[in-house]
């Protein structure tokens, strides 16, 4: 599977990508929001101009009464603020809606992660509500609030 956005390509994580992704997830600007994953098998590498710059993952709830998909993403700090996160999320969201048939997508950034919230808003995600003490910061051990955001298929830009 390879998904092409306006600027990025999303593809399965390949041999050798794990080292790069380990470095990215340990960058202070990324580690503030992400704990190191157990592995990258369930992720897609985000490639920009031939370079792996991060990863995106999705999960699917397939119970017919609650069917939806969720998205998580991290990118190297040197590519923050360039619209690459927005392109990544939009590209994956389109695939989840058009190819996987989801009518609703969810994303749950830390409530304090204003850059991520702006990025997701540009794709069309809307705040649903604050989830109090939602995730434990792996560096401090302190529970942090999360912001639940969702996007309906007909709202996707």
């Amino acid at each position: 599977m390879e998904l092409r956005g306006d600027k990025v390509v999303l593809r399965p994580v390949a041999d050798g990508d794990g080292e790069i992704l380990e470095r990215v997830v340990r960058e202070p600007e990324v580690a503030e929001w992400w704990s190191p994953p157990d592995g990258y098998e369930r992720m897609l590498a985000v490639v920009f101009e031939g370079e792996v710059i991060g990863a995106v993952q999705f999960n699917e709830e397939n119970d017919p009464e609650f069917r939806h998909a969720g998205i998580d993403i991290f990118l190297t700090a040197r590519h923050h603020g360039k619209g690459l996160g927005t392109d990544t999320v939009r590209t994956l969201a389109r695939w989840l809606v058009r190819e996987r048939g989801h009518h609703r997508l969810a994303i749950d950034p830390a409530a304090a992660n204003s850059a991520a919230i702006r990025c997701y808003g540009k794709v069309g995600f809307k705040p649903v509500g604050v989830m109090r003490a939602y995730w434990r910061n792996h560096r401090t051990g302190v529970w942090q609030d999360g912001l639940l955001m969702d996007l309906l298929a007909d709202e996707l830009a």
Side-chain angles (χ1 to χ4, degrees), residues 6-20:
D6 293 333
K7 301 176 183 178
V8 300
V9 174
L10 311 180
R11 61 149 174 83
V13 172
D15 291 340
D17 292 344
E19 264 184 50
I20 296 165

Side-chain angles (χ1 to χ4, degrees), residues 19-21 23-31 46-54 74-85:
E19 264 184 50
I20 296 165
L21 296 174
R23 282 196 305 272
V24 172
V25 83
R26 292 188 190 320
E27 294 175 4
E29 300 89 343
V30 177
V46 179
V47 181
F48 174 64
E49 297 181 344
E51 174 191 0
V52 173
I53 63 164
F74 65 87
L75 299 179
T76 182
R78 66 186 166 80
H79 286 297
H80 288 180
K82 297 179 181 179
L84 302 176

Side-chain angles (χ1 to χ4, degrees), residues 1-14 17 43-48 50-52 56 58 88 91-92 94-96 99:
M1 173 176 74
E2 184 175 280
L3 306 176
R4 294 194 166 273
D6 293 333
K7 301 176 183 178
V8 300
V9 174
L10 311 180
R11 61 149 174 83
V13 172
D17 292 344
M43 294 187 180
L44 300 173
V46 179
V47 181
F48 174 64
E51 174 191 0
V52 173
V56 63
F58 65 94
T88 299
T91 299
L92 184 57
R94 286 179 176 157
W95 179 78
L96 288 166
E99 301 300 321

